[in-house]
Amino acid sequence: MTENGGVTPLVRLENVNKHFGALHVLKNINLTVSRGEVLVVIGPSGGGKSTLCRAINRLETIDDGKIVFDGQVLPEEGKALARLRSEVGMVFQSFNLFAHKTIRENVTLGPVKVRGVSKDAASKRAMELLERVGIAAQADKYPAQLSGGQQQRVAIARALAMDPKMILFDEPTSALDPEMVQEVLDVMIGLARDGMTMVVVTHEMGFARRAANRVVFMADGQIVEENTPDEFFTNAQTDRARDFLSKILTH
Ligand SMILES: Nc1ncnc2c1ncn2[C@@H]1O[C@H](COP(=O)(O)OP(=O)(O)OP(=O)(O)O)[C@@H](O)[C@H]1O
C-alpha cells in the first residue's frame, strides 16, 4: 500500500509507547517521515524528543506499537536491526569521534568494518566527504586538535560515509560555542538541499525556518502539533506551542 500520494514513507511510527519506569515518555506516537523530508522536532526539555529520535533507530526499545523502516517492521535485534543501524546515520550533541584515530580514519572505519569496503576506497571517499563538509585540510589531525564545530562536521561526514537512507540529528549544535553553530547548520542545510532525509531535534529555529519541510512540536511525550514551519511559527494552534515559541523566540 502506498501513502502520501503514492510515495511510501521511509519511516512510520504507529501507536508507539515508551516508559522509563513510571514515566510515560512516548505517548501513543504516530508519525511518518517521507523520503527526502526534513522533519524538525522541537519542544520543551524532557518532552521526549531525544527518546523519539533514539527509538527510530532502536537505540531505545519501545513498549508497544510499531516502527516500520523502508517497508519493514523492525525487530528489536538481529540482522534487520543491524541493517537499520547501518542505514540510519546518527549525529549526537557530543560528537562521539574516536579520540585515537585521525579525522580521516574516523570517517573510513565504518564502511571498512560494516560494509566491507576496501581501505583505499573508503579512505578516498572519506576525503571527498571531508571536502564536502569543509574540513579536508584537517584530515590527518586528531579530534582533540579540532574545534567543536569542526568535530561535529567530521561526525556528519562519518554518518554520510555509510550512505545512509536518513540521518537523525539529536541537538547537533547544543554543545557548540555560539560562533560555531552556523558552520554546522550550513552543512546540514546543504544536506537538506541535496535531498537527504533528516530528523532533527534542535532549538535552532532559523534552521527550522530555512530547511524544514515540517515541524513537530513535542511536549509531555506527545506530538502536540505538526505543521509547515511557516504555519507553525506564525500561526501555532495550541497554547503550549505558542507559550514555548514566545519563550525561545524572545530568548
Ligand atoms: N535512560 C533513561 N532512563 C530514565 N529516564 C530517562 C532516560 N532517558 C530519558 N529519560 C527521561 O525521559 C524524559 C524524556 O527525555 P528526552 O531526553 O527524550 O527529552 P527531550 O525532549 O529530548 O529533552 P531535552 O531537550 O532536555 O534533551 C525526561 O524526563 C528524561 O529525564
Side-chain angles (χ1 to χ4, degrees):
M1 200 173 78
T2 60
E3 298 173 38
N4 296 350
V7 182
T8 318
L10 183 59
V11 183
R12 194 170 78 240
L13 282 77
E14 281 178 26
N15 305 321
V16 168
N17 284 284
K18 166 81 181 169
H19 288 79
F20 285 118
L23 190 65
H24 199 172
V25 205
L26 297 180
K27 295 178 181 161
N28 217 38
I29 300 290
N30 287 285
L31 182 70
T32 60
V33 185
S34 303
R35 288 167 209 274
E37 185 174 32
V38 177
L39 186 78
V40 166
V41 185
I42 67 171
S45 181
K49 306 179 299 295
S50 281
T51 308
L52 173 73
C53 209
R54 293 164 63 82
I56 291 175
N57 73 350
R58 297 282 179 142
L59 283 174
E60 296 289 355
T61 56
I62 57 173
D63 301 341
D64 51 55
K66 193 160 84 169
I67 301 178
V68 182
F69 177 76
D70 206 11
Q72 259 197 312
V73 179
L74 285 170
E76 305 260 325
E77 53 192 24
K79 274 193 182 158
L81 183 62
R83 180 179 70 94
L84 165 81
R85 290 267 169 77
S86 77
E87 290 180 347
V88 179
M90 181 114 196
V91 174
F92 301 91
Q93 183 175 333
S94 53
F95 326 116
N96 291 3
L97 300 176
F98 294 111
H100 302 295
K101 303 265 181 211
T102 66
I103 297 311
R104 186 176 191 163
E105 286 165 348
N106 264 279
V107 180
T108 304
L109 218 57
V112 171
K113 295 254 184 230
V114 179
R115 291 271 157 78
V117 176
S118 77
K119 224 175 178 171
D120 279 356
S123 186
K124 188 162 171 271
R125 178 90 201 294
M127 285 310 292
E128 290 165 12
L129 293 169
L130 289 171
E131 196 80 56
R132 183 169 171 190
V133 301
I135 219 139
Q138 321 291 333
D140 295 323
K141 293 191 174 163
Y142 288 86
Q145 297 173 281
L146 268 57
S147 71
Q150 289 174 323
Q151 289 190 58
Q152 196 58 303
R153 285 187 277 151
V154 176
I156 294 172
R158 184 177 58 176
L160 289 171
M162 297 297 282
D163 287 324
K165 290 190 172 148
M166 75 182 296
I167 304 183
L168 305 168
F169 294 84
D170 190 1
E171 302 206 19
T173 58
S174 299
L176 300 178
D177 290 336
E179 74 273 18
M180 290 168 194
V181 168
Q182 198 55 46
E183 68 189 51
V184 171
L185 294 179
D186 285 344
V187 169
M188 293 168 61
I189 288 167
L191 293 184
R193 295 213 170 115
D194 290 346
M196 176 60 72
T197 308
M198 295 160 65
V199 174
V200 184
V201 178
T202 186
H203 298 292
E204 294 295 334
M205 298 302 114
F207 173 81
R209 282 177 186 275
R210 282 181 67 188
N213 300 105
R214 199 157 40 113
V215 172
V216 164
F217 176 71
M218 246 190 121
D220 251 344
Q222 285 171 312
I223 293 178
V224 178
E225 279 193 54
E226 52 178 298
N227 218 328
T228 60
D230 272 358
E231 268 299 303
F232 181 73
F233 288 116
T234 57
N235 193 22
Q237 299 298 303
T238 58
D239 286 345
R240 286 207 79 160
R242 281 193 291 270
D243 186 44
F244 177 77
L245 285 173
S246 72
K247 281 186 188 132
I248 57 162
L249 295 177
T250 53
H251 188 60

